[in-house]
Amino acid sequence: MKEKLYSIKARASFKGKHLSGAERIVRESEIETVLEEIYKKVRRKNPDSINIKVENIEEKPLIVDKTLRLKNFSFSNHIEANEKAVEILHIETGISKNILWKLIEEVHTGAAPDKENMRGAMIVNQKGERIELDRYRGIRTTTVDFLDRKKVLKKLLKNGYTERTLDALALTTKNLIYPDMIAEYCISDEPDYTVGYVSTKNFYYRFSPLKEKGNTKGGRIYFVKNSIDIQKFYNFLQKKPVLIRDVNI
Ligand code: PML
């Protein structure tokens, strides 16, 4: 890749409260077009403030051939879906089902200490302990995108997926590359978006529905090994540029 790469990050808020965000990794020649796209996207919810940052990426990106493999599960309600999610997470992490249910309940009711949504993900080790450094902020995975985002989006939309699937797949594929990351659980904080997922080293299990319609709470749990070096983990998820070629459907 000869042309310089840039990270574009946008955040929109209203009265200090986060409304929406977007992130891309682009070539220099694409910056202007993508800035316009991103601006249009994040202003949809009528924010009073939009913050857009463009930064040169110095580090060589890690190129990944494919995302995790998509697998769909459909349930008649979110409780049944969560039972299956807990089963998968129990097998993958070894954490007891009781503890898993408690952690999932926290995400569905607001996992920050003030019972609001956390800004990033919580991190849980194999003992079932929350080990993120800040329970309000959690950890945010950034600096990941597709080499040809438009092509991949088209493919996903044609197969009945959404742009949220695209972003979630990129993010969780980066997460699961990290050797000490075991699995992830996610529901959206968008009240009408009830599809969620559990991802493991090989699969992106997409659950419909994983949360109750109308619930404004959501978030992510990153399940990691007990032996993890938390600073190195933060550093990889926040700083290492990752570009993905294609989806695995
Ligand atoms: C999917 O459509 O595959 C699930 C995406 C979850 C998105 C979570 C979010 O956008 O907050």
Side-chain angles (χ1 to χ4, degrees), residues 135-182:
R135 288 196 174 192
Y136 286 96
R137 292 168 72 97
I139 182 168
R140 291 180 69 86
T141 305
T142 62
T143 332
V144 55
D145 204 350
F146 290 92
L147 271 164
D148 187 342
R149 189 182 161 93
K150 285 216 165 74
K151 181 193 83 182
V152 178
L153 178 61
K154 208 168 149 193
K155 193 166 171 179
L156 282 174
L157 295 178
K158 209 175 115 201
N159 284 279
Y161 299 104
T162 69
E163 192 164 2
R164 277 182 189 270
T165 316
L166 177 86
D167 288 325
L169 255 179
L171 185 153
T172 195
T173 297
K174 174 174 179 181
N175 292 343
L176 269 299
I177 289 172
Y178 197 78
D180 287 341
M181 171 102 180
I182 304 171

Side-chain angles (χ1 to χ4, degrees), residues 161-162 164-165 168 186-189 193 195-197 204 206 220:
Y161 299 104
T162 69
R164 277 182 189 270
T165 316
C186 167
I187 53 163
S188 179
D189 55 13
Y193 202 89
V195 181
Y197 67 86
Y204 179 92
R206 192 168 185 261
R220 291 181 158 85

Side-chain angles (χ1 to χ4, degrees), residues 21-61:
E23 218 205 296
R24 303 275 194 280
I25 296 178
V26 297
R27 293 173 193 89
E28 196 165 12
S29 54
E30 298 167 320
I31 294 178
E32 276 186 41
T33 318
V34 173
L35 275 177
E36 201 181 324
E37 272 171 31
I38 281 195
Y39 175 68
K40 280 187 185 151
K41 185 179 172 205
V42 296
R43 75 165 187 211
R44 273 183 219 146
K45 290 187 174 173
N46 300 323
D48 61 8
S49 157
I50 295 177
N51 206 310
I52 301 183
K53 188 158 100 184
V54 183
E55 247 178 331
N56 178 222
I57 297 179
E58 303 276 356
E59 197 177 340
K60 199 169 169 246

